[in-house]
Amino acid sequence: MSVASLRRAARESVAGLPREFWWLWTSTLVNRLGAFVATFMTLYLTVDRGYSASFAGLVVALHGLGGVISSLVAGVMTDRLGRRPTLMAAQASTAFSVALLGFMQHPAAIAAVALLVGMTSNASRPAVQAMMADLVRPQDRVRAFALNYWAINLGFAVSATAAGFVAEYSYLAGFLGEAALTLVCAVLVYVKLPETRPERTAAQEAAAEPEIGLGTVLRDGRFMGVVGLSFLISLIFTQGSFGLPLAMGSDGFSAGDYGLVIAVNGVLIVLLQIPVTRFLEQGDPQKLLVVSALLAGYGFGLTAFAGSVWSLGLTVCVWTLAEIINSPTQMGLVARLSPLHGRGRYQGMYTMSWAVASLVAPLMAGFMIDRWGAGWLWASVALLGTVAALGYWLLMRNLSQGEPVPPAVTPASAPVPAPVVAVPAPAQAPTPVVAAVEL
């Protein structure tokens, strides 16, 4: 591909998105530049503090439990209070709890504050995803989610490398750095982002349109199928933050080595996400999700045969390609299946699948590595990828491609965005008719 073609692809990837989206994107980037706790918690507990793999698994699992608790609560808050106040409250409380964690010494205190960090850090996700779906046209959502995921990994690529070396000298500096940058995000949201929650119209009120509750989400069989498969995929990818550093630490690798290996993940996404996005918009979601599940499972499975930093980096390349394909495709599907006035609850349920995986994955990895060794963990992860691929194929084989989707919403309080460049609508999964009725 020529340089001119790459430039044209880049322009097409960023054209036509509203200004508010880019402020939200900037907030995401700043937040991920400070990512430290989720990435280095395992090494902090096992290498720096000398705790066992099982205790590290317990603490990281409590972090995940906090996310489970907050996902549904934050989803309801996103629909009832609004996206903006939910996001600001989550980020400000995350900054406080992360800083507090850095000063904890007693094992019980570390576990308790890790639970709090999990609750506060996960609470922002339903609000961010719902706000993005509000701001962006349906035909642009896969592209918007891909760009947001690109920002996440651009920040991660920088922070993972730098923080890996910072951790070798002072883990406390890493905790405080993440707290400061998260607080910057809260200020940015307050200053630059409007409320985007769609209000019910007079016609909807006159028709006595029922509220969408959590029961509506639970009775949406297809959406809950996506949530279940998201849990399996999340269980796989979470091993990059727990199983991989735990296995590397037990094999004698340093925090700096892990930082370099995991940075490959962020660097590849930064380099490939935008060029690949144009292909993802036009691809078959079923095939993309099946392929991504297989790449994820077997990419991690190959870790059993890697014994050096370079070979470990090669395995990261395989499952990173799965992330590049899976994340925007699946998030676009979730946004499409989420009704207009229930996006917070739907996004909260989807976010909970990742939070539950963050709870289960550390316990799974710690138990397997302590009892049988890392080889059993990587074989199990390969099996999970196979099961997830089969699940995606079964769930999406009857989806039609032509059903309409609800339009994006421009908030009344937001500035009118600049004229947009028309982009062909991607072939995606349909939106079920649940936007205004209880099922």
Side-chain angles (χ1 to χ4, degrees):
M1 182 179 289
S2 66
V3 174
S5 298
L6 289 173
R7 288 177 177 173
R8 183 170 60 254
R11 285 196 301 269
E12 291 173 352
S13 295
V14 301
L17 296 171
R19 181 171 58 253
E20 294 78 19
F21 165 80
W22 290 110
W23 283 117
L24 187 60
W25 182 92
T26 301
S27 174
T28 298
L29 176 62
V30 173
N31 183 273
R32 292 303 294 174
L33 283 171
F36 183 84
V37 172
T39 307
F40 288 93
M41 176 65 80
T42 302
L43 289 174
Y44 169 65
L45 293 173
T46 57
V47 176
D48 186 70
R49 302 300 301 274
Y51 293 116
S52 67
S54 297
F55 177 76
L58 174 63
V59 172
V60 177
L62 286 172
H63 183 275
L65 177 61
V68 174
I69 295 171
S70 68
S71 293
L72 296 181
V73 175
V76 173
M77 289 175 60
T78 297
D79 282 338
R80 289 190 176 180
L81 301 181
R83 284 62 159 136
R84 186 169 176 261
T86 302
L87 186 53
M88 286 190 297
Q91 291 178 335
S93 56
T94 298
F96 169 77
S97 59
V98 166
L100 181 64
L101 181 60
F103 291 98
M104 294 298 99
Q105 297 295 321
H106 193 277
I110 292 173
V113 178
L115 174 67
L116 179 62
V117 172
M119 292 178 63
T120 57
S121 61
N122 205 63
S124 63
R125 292 181 181 179
V128 169
Q129 293 164 7
M131 182 177 281
M132 198 167 297
D134 294 338
L135 290 170
V136 178
R137 299 179 306 171
Q139 60 266 37
D140 291 334
R141 283 178 187 154
V142 169
R143 184 159 57 100
F145 284 123
L147 287 168
N148 193 66
Y149 198 64
W150 185 80
I152 290 172
N153 286 278
L154 175 60
F156 178 73
V158 175
S159 67
T161 304
F165 292 103
V166 169
E168 293 186 354
Y169 295 96
S170 172
Y171 277 91
L172 178 60
F175 287 113
L176 295 179
E178 177 171 350
L181 287 173
T182 305
L183 192 59
V184 169
C185 291
V187 173
L188 186 62
V189 169
Y190 176 77
V191 173
K192 291 296 184 179
L193 285 173
E195 178 55 60
T196 66
R197 180 182 58 173
E199 300 295 338
R200 291 179 182 270
T201 65
Q204 290 167 338
E205 295 291 348
E209 179 185 272
E211 292 286 340
I212 294 175
L214 290 176
T216 310
V217 185
L218 292 171
R219 290 192 295 272
D220 189 338
R222 178 167 290 162
F223 181 80
M224 291 306 298
V226 173
V227 170
L229 292 170
S230 172
F231 166 73
L232 294 182
I233 289 295
S234 304
L235 202 58
I236 296 172
F237 285 131
T238 304
Q239 299 305 334
S241 298
F242 187 79
L244 182 59
L246 190 59
M248 289 182 65
S250 64
D251 287 339
F253 291 100
S254 68
D257 292 333
Y258 172 67
L260 289 174
V261 168
I262 201 64
V264 172
N265 172 254
V267 170
L268 280 181
I269 292 176
V270 169
L271 293 176
L272 299 179
Q273 187 72 73
I274 291 179
V276 171
T277 295
R278 306 305 296 175
F279 166 75
L280 297 180
E281 285 188 304
Q282 300 170 9
D284 180 350
Q286 181 193 47
K287 294 178 181 178
L288 291 172
L289 290 171
V290 168
V291 169
S292 69
L294 293 173
L295 286 173
Y298 290 102
F300 273 101
L302 289 172
T303 308
F305 306 100
S308 66
V309 169
W310 295 107
S311 58
L312 286 166
L314 290 175
T315 67
V316 172
C317 292
V318 178
W319 57 260
T320 295
L321 182 57
E323 272 196 89
I324 291 172
I325 297 170
N326 181 273
S327 180
T329 306
Q330 183 163 260
M331 292 180 71
L333 177 61
V334 169
R336 216 166 242 267
L337 296 176
S338 304
L340 184 64
H341 297 290
R343 280 179 180 154
R345 290 173 174 85
Y346 270 68
Q347 294 289 354
M349 185 66 71
Y350 170 67
T351 300
M352 190 181 71
S353 67
W354 285 85
V356 173
S358 296
L359 168 64
V360 175
L363 297 175
M364 167 185 165
F367 177 81
M368 286 190 169
I369 290 176
D370 276 348
R371 291 294 182 90
W372 303 307
W376 280 91
L377 173 65
W378 305 129
S380 299
V381 169
L383 178 60
L384 287 176
T386 304
V387 172
L390 178 61
Y392 280 124
W393 180 77
L394 292 172
L395 180 72
M396 301 184 66
R397 60 180 176 171
N398 294 322
L399 288 180
S400 64
Q401 300 293 326
E403 293 185 40
V405 293
V409 175
T410 300
S413 60
V416 177
V420 296
V421 178
V423 179
Q428 294 184 15
T431 301
V433 185
V434 296
V437 292
E438 287 280 350
L439 297 181

